[in-house]
Structures are given as C-alpha cells and as structure tokens.
Amino acid sequence: MSPRSSYVTGSVQFKGAAISAARLLWQSVGPLFTRGLPVTVEITVLLLVLGLVLGTVLALVQVYGRRPFRYVCVVYEQVFRGIPPLVTILIFWNGLSQSFHVFLPGVVAAALALGLRSAAYQSQIFRGAIQAVPPGQMMAARALGMGKLQAIRHVILPQAFRLAIPPWSNEYSGVVKDTAFACVIGGLLELTRLGMTSLTRLSMTHGIGSQLILPVLLIVGLFYLALTYGGNALLALLERRLRIPGFEMKGKVER
Amino acid sequence: MAAGTRTGPSDVILRVEGLHKRYGKDEVLKGVSLELRRGETKVVIGPSGTGKSTLLRCINQLSVPDKGRVWLEDVEITHARTNINHARAQIGFVFQDFNLFAHLTALDNVTLGLVKVKKMSKKEAVVRARDELARVGLAEKAASYPAELSGGQKQRVSIARALAMDPKLILFDEPTSALDPELIGEVLEVMVQLARGGMTMIVVSHEMGFARAVADRIIFMEGGVILEEGTPAELFTCPRCERTGQFLRKITELYGETNGR
C-alpha cells in the first residue's frame, strides 16, 4: 500500500467517526428539543401562574389585610423562602406520596412545590410595588366612591404591576433554573433529567461517548440560557409596551 | 349672593355636628360644626396645622372622625350602616396635589368613576367626560397623561373628574397651594365659574381675592375649632375676633389679592 492510500483510508475512518459522533450527539440533543424543552416550559409556566396569583393575593393581604391575616402571610413567606427548592420538591413528590398516598403527576408536583415557593418571593416584589404607588391614588379612588377592591383593581394594581416588571423578570430568571431540581422526580423528563440520562447512556454504552459528555452538558445549559434570555426579552418588550409617559423609573441621565 | 336668597331646612345640603379627630396625641379637631346650603360657597382659612384639611377629610370619611356626625341632606353618612361609597360618589373632592390616576389619560381619569361607580356605559361616560374637560378648558388635552400636563392643567382635570360625578357639593383642599404662582389663576378662574354657576362648595384656601369674590361666608379656624364665621365683608372690615383680624392682615400682606382676580 502506498502512503497515499493509507492516508485516504485514515480520512474515511476519521470521517466515519465524526459522523457517528454527530449522530450520538443528536441522539442526546434531539430529545431535549422534543421532550425536555416542552416539559421545562410547562413547569415554568404553571409555577409562574401559581406564584403570580398567590403572590399578588399575599401582597394585597400584607398591605391592606387585617393583622391576623398579615401574620399568616409573613409565616407563609418565611417558611417557603427558608426551605431549599430541592427539599420542597422532594416533600411534594416523595413526602406526600409516602405519608398520605397522594400521588401527584410529576409536572404538578414540581409546579406546586416551586410555585408555592415563588409565591413567597413574588409577594415581596408586589408588596414593594404596591407600596410604591403613592397613597393619594387610593385616596382619590375612594373619594370618587370606589370600593377598596375596585380601587385596588382599577387604580393600584395597574400601576403596581408596571413597577413590578423589572424585579419580576429577576424572579423569572431564577425559577426557570429552579425547574432543574425537578430532575429528582422519577420519570419527569425535563431538560436536566434528559441531560443526565444521556450522560449515563453515553458513558455506559459508547467509549466515544465520554468525549460527548461536555458538549451535551453545555447544550443543556444553552437551553436554560435561551429560556432566560428569551423570557427577559419578552418582559422588556412588555415593559416598553405598557410604558406610560412620566411613569417609567426616573433617574435617566442624558449624557 | 346666590345662597342668601334661598333658605329653609331642605336647602341644607351638608350638616356637620361636633366633629372631633385625634391623631395620636394631637387633637386636630376639637368640635367643629357647620352647615352648608345649596349653592353656597364657604371658604375655610386659618394657620397651617389647625385642622382645615382634616375637617374636609372627616366630612367624606377619608378620615373617620372620633366623634361627631355628618349629614348629607337627610342621610347621616357617619352612621355605620350608611353605604359610604354611595355617599362619597355624591361629594366631589379636589386634592392639593391633584392625585390624578397616573396610569390613565386625562379622559380616562374622568371616565373611571363614571363607569365603575355610576355604572355608566363607556360610550356615555366618554361623551360626559369630554364635556367636563371642555368646561375646564382642556378639551384638547383628553389624550394626555398626567405627567404631560402642567400643575394647573392637572388640577383642572381633577376638577373635571369631580364635576363629572354630578356631585351635590365639592370639597376643595387647598387646590392652588401646590401650584406655581403663574398657574394659580387658571384654576381659580374655573372655581369662580363654578361658584357663580351655583355649585355648592367648601374651599380650604388662602386666596383672599377668590374668597372675597365668591365666598358667601368665610370660616376662620384655629387650633381645631372655628373661631369666627361671617361674610367676607364682615370678616375683612371688622372681625369680631382679634385673631381673625391679625391673620387676615398677615395673609393679605403675604399673598396680596392679585391672584384671586
């Protein structure tokens, strides 16, 4: 054999290896798109909606509620802000099923655990925003004959929610990544869990797989990055769309 | 003076009896009573911190008085069973610092109460609101947000907001005190028109020119009580109370009477 032909053979082998590596990589990454992303998005949306609704109620009670109810909110907040997200998920998934035979679907258990937790954080965002609305706004609404709830709904909240968008986008970025803890829920194939299954499969069945572990992990990371980046871009857009003259955060320096 | 010609108990729109209000250790109101007849304008003057604003807030229960009663016509609004929202919808209130709803246009500031409190249809409310904005000379500012308006314009929008509700009376709490001097005139002008048009109003203000021009009676308050009440002529020429005279001289010296026109 001439040196040249061996060179050609080597190139073919190299090409073949590259193709099979790419195929392996796709085997790991494909499900991230088709399964992992939708599941992670589902958990995120559910937990944010739960956190938004409950967080708003908690904030309103803390600002306008009677004393005993305010205390209940404070206790709730302290409890849920004081427990690691991984532990709350284990409580709602493993704890409830073991002790009370409550078997929640994985997505529900994750969204509930993280949503109740997020509500505690969101309540603080909304409380700050509600208190940032000048008291004269409530007074003017009441002076017109609006009830307290009407005033909250039509005057206070529309202003408070606008003020809350920037800190809320922070909370959004946080919870997207918290959903990774849901990987401890058996059979819940969200992004991180899928990444982990790929790792196991690659390292056990393919020698070459170990070279792919880092790229797979980086790609999993990119998915989260895309979610936080995309979400924050949407929230920034929302903030611009809802902007009212004279109502934006002050303090812009022209030059 | 419009009110002087009409009397009789049915003409009394507002009756305040023995109002007391305490904030912590400070007793701000120490028994204030007054009556307001249909079409009457009363101007309340007095040194700062003597309970003038508190009096207005106690009338529509934005501050709940510790003691005393308030009647709107024959309804006692201090009564626990009175629907306070219903009563407030009939009492306009104009604040010193306007308190326009910051997230709404001038037009929507006026329509909000009509739609949510008076249950008017949006369409009707818009027609009504445009009329009221035109009445205060701001028809072309309907689409502006509060931050885009001058202080005088804001206060005129807030007067339109009160007027649109078709109130039985309007309470003005130092409506020109937060304004730059050159903007005071446009607000007073609107108020003079209202008073001359027969609106019933209580105005806390130190605009003596305004008081002289349209007040049926001036009330001088100090230390949480009404020291003296009388027509402008009575108070300006020969106040019975030494303090009233002193105060009036000082105020006139400080502000002059040019603003009131």
Side-chain angles (χ1 to χ4, degrees), chain A residues 217-231:
Chain A
L217 286 176
L218 288 175
I219 288 168
V220 170
L222 275 179
F223 271 91
Y224 287 103
L225 184 64
L227 280 176
T228 50
Y229 181 81

Side-chain angles (χ1 to χ4, degrees), chain B residues 5 11 14 40 46 50-51 62 64 67 75 84 112 116-117 131 140-141 154 172 183 192 201 205 220 233 235 240:
Chain B
T5 55
D11 269 347
L14 183 79
E40 197 176 21
T50 46
L62 284 177
V64 181
K67 221 162 83 182
V75 178
I84 189 59
L112 188 67
K116 300 303 172 193
V117 178
D131 280 354
E140 79 287 2
K141 293 288 182 188
K154 281 186 218 178
F172 292 84
L183 302 176
V192 167
M201 39 207 249
S205 174
F220 178 67
L235 258 71
R240 277 160 296 181

Side-chain angles (χ1 to χ4, degrees), chain B:
Chain B
M1 258 156 255
T5 55
R6 284 179 255 146
T7 46
S10 66
D11 269 347
V12 174
I13 282 191
L14 183 79
R15 191 145 56 90
V16 174
E17 255 186 36
L19 280 189
H20 286 258
K21 178 69 184 179
R22 175 185 289 279
Y23 289 114
K25 277 185 187 159
D26 283 345
E27 193 171 20
V28 186
L29 294 181
K30 300 173 183 167
V32 174
S33 303
L34 60 88
E35 258 185 19
L36 197 66
R37 293 172 189 284
R38 196 181 309 281
E40 197 176 21
T41 297
K42 283 194 173 174
V43 172
V44 183
I45 60 173
S48 71
T50 46
K52 304 182 301 286
S53 297
T54 307
L55 169 63
L56 293 194
R57 279 169 197 204
C58 282
I59 287 174
N60 79 345
Q61 309 289 296
L62 284 177
S63 294
V64 181
D66 302 326
K67 221 162 83 182
R69 299 181 192 191
V70 178
W71 280 268
L72 180 65
E73 293 183 322
D74 50 2
V75 178
E76 190 201 329
I77 61 182
T78 35
H79 195 284
R81 272 202 239 139
T82 304
N83 179 342
I84 189 59
N85 295 330
H86 186 72
R88 283 189 187 131
Q90 303 173 67
I91 304 176
F93 202 105
V94 174
F95 297 87
Q96 178 176 345
D97 37 13
F98 334 120
N99 292 338
L100 288 182
F101 304 129
H103 63 303
L104 298 178
T105 60
L107 186 75
D108 289 337
N109 261 278
V110 183
T111 57
L112 188 67
L114 297 176
V115 174
K116 300 303 172 193
V117 178
K118 295 206 134 187
K119 308 294 177 199
M120 228 180 235
S121 75
K122 182 78 191 179
K123 222 175 178 178
E124 264 181 296
V126 167
V127 173
R128 181 70 205 262
R130 286 196 187 281
D131 280 354
E132 297 299 349
L133 285 176
R135 191 162 154 192
V136 298
L138 288 174
E140 79 287 2
K141 293 288 182 188
S144 302
Y145 285 94
E148 300 169 318
L149 300 172
S150 73
Q153 291 171 333
K154 281 186 218 178
Q155 195 58 296
R156 285 189 281 155
V157 172
S158 96
I159 293 173
R161 175 172 72 177
L163 281 174
M165 298 295 283
D166 214 357
K168 291 189 168 134
L169 72 154
I170 302 184
L171 308 173
F172 292 84
D173 186 7
E174 304 210 32
T176 57
S177 301
L179 297 177
D180 289 335
E182 73 270 23
L183 302 176
I184 291 174
E186 62 189 68
V187 172
L188 288 180
E189 207 170 296
V190 169
M191 291 169 60
V192 167
Q193 275 173 27
L194 283 182
R196 297 221 165 112
M199 176 57 74
T200 312
M201 39 207 249
I202 300 182
V203 184
V204 171
S205 174
H206 288 160
E207 296 297 334
M208 288 303 135
F210 171 79
R212 216 179 252 256
V214 297
D216 294 297
R217 300 180 77 78
I218 295 179
I219 292 174
F220 178 67
M221 267 183 87
E222 186 169 39
V225 293
I226 294 180
L227 278 188
E228 190 164 357
E229 177 175 348
T231 64
E234 284 167 3
L235 258 71
F236 277 103
T237 51
C238 52
R240 277 160 296 181
C241 269
E242 174 71 10
R243 273 297 291 146
T244 313
Q246 269 177 14
F247 182 77
L248 281 171
R249 279 193 295 279
K250 199 168 185 183
I251 284 291
T252 319
E253 211 173 275
L254 279 176
Y255 296 89
E257 294 195 17
T258 44
N259 286 328
R261 47 188 76 183

